[in-house]
Amino acid sequence: MIAIVSFIKSNLGTGPFAIILMALTAYFVIFDQWKLFGGIYILYIMFMFGLGHLMVDFFFVGQHSSPQEMSHIPSHNVPRRMH
């Protein structure tokens, strides 16, 4: 519904014709043809959640260094605190 309203407002403004077109389009998409548009909406949401999950995995989780990459850091040369 928000996408319908914002699309029509950005293209036609907020006049009486735009409001009538918003109401007719919303009725058609939400109530009259829900079997078609509802299925598309569910697939879109599932795709976006999956794509978002993959992007988080790739950009944040996959960026951690492995122990082999950090082998150039000598751990035995770390100074120790004496008490």
Side-chain angles (χ1 to χ4, degrees):
M1 182 67 183
I2 293 171
I4 294 169
V5 171
S6 65
F7 179 77
I8 293 175
K9 272 186 158 181
S10 66
N11 290 318
L12 296 177
T14 57
F17 178 70
I19 293 173
I20 292 170
L21 191 61
M22 283 181 220
L24 290 174
T25 307
Y27 175 78
F28 178 74
V29 169
I30 294 173
F31 298 111
D32 193 38
Q33 293 294 319
W34 179 249
K35 289 181 182 179
L36 172 67
F37 291 108
I40 293 170
Y41 176 72
I42 297 298
L43 289 175
Y44 172 75
I45 293 297
M46 289 171 57
F47 174 74
M48 290 310 292
F49 280 141
L51 183 64
H53 180 73
L54 288 175
M55 290 176 67
V56 166
D57 284 347
F58 180 75
F59 288 112
F60 298 109
V61 177
Q63 297 297 323
H64 294 292
S65 299
S66 66
Q68 290 82 17
E69 293 175 4
M70 297 186 67
S71 63
H72 67 279
I73 301 173
S75 60
H76 60 278
N77 291 334
V78 176
R80 297 179 190 260
R81 292 179 59 178
M82 300 297 282
H83 291 254

